[in-house]
Amino acid sequence: MTWTQHQSLTGGRRAITAAALSDAVLILVFAAIGRDAHQRGDIVTGVFLTAWPFLAGAAIAWLAWRAWRRPLSMATGVVIWLGAVAGGMILRAVTGQSVVVAFVVVALLSLGLFLVGYRALLALVRRLRKS
């Protein structure tokens, strides 16, 4: 393996790890904000209870889309966003958690801003650096 190939492989792994961790952290932030807005106690376990369906939905989307190929692309962000929301709502419904229209709208908007937003900012930074 040449030095260039090694650097490319290492950089690719970093991008995959950074994107996956960013997605997970932002989904946890979404859950924490929601729980705080509704003044629900049980902070740590409560956040994970709220977040796990969305984390699972995002993980399924990562696998189905093979997001590791282009983890920071806008298209990947859209797929992860929609997978997190759709999967999250389905899993919430199946496990007896509430799924109301207002929550679906809030999740769509919030997770869209988070999961697509940081990728859009990265794309903008890349474009500005090239100019």
Side-chain angles (χ1 to χ4, degrees):
M1 178 183 304
T2 67
W3 175 252
T4 306
Q5 289 171 328
H6 174 72
Q7 289 296 95
S8 177
L9 183 60
T10 304
R13 286 184 184 154
R14 283 190 202 134
I16 294 165
T17 302
L21 285 174
S22 295
D23 290 345
V25 167
L26 289 169
I27 290 169
L28 289 168
V29 167
F30 158 73
I33 291 170
R35 291 192 66 82
D36 185 58
H38 295 285
Q39 299 173 350
R40 297 195 175 156
D42 202 15
I43 297 168
V44 175
T45 56
V47 168
F48 282 104
L49 179 66
T50 301
W52 82 261
F54 300 100
L55 291 166
I60 292 166
W62 262 83
L63 293 171
W65 185 254
R66 296 185 208 171
W68 54 87
R69 294 180 301 177
R70 294 187 60 216
L72 297 171
S73 76
M74 293 295 292
T76 297
V78 170
V79 169
I80 302 306
W81 162 45
L82 296 176
V85 174
M89 293 304 168
I90 290 167
L91 288 169
R92 284 180 63 86
V94 168
T95 59
Q97 297 182 52
S98 66
V99 177
V100 295
V101 174
F103 181 54
V104 174
V105 170
V106 168
L108 274 169
L109 295 174
S110 301
L111 289 173
L113 177 66
F114 286 171
L115 300 176
V116 178
Y118 84 88
R119 288 173 169 94
L121 286 173
L122 287 173
L124 177 63
V125 167
R126 280 190 223 120
R127 283 189 195 131
L128 291 174
R129 283 186 178 172
K130 286 182 181 179
S131 348

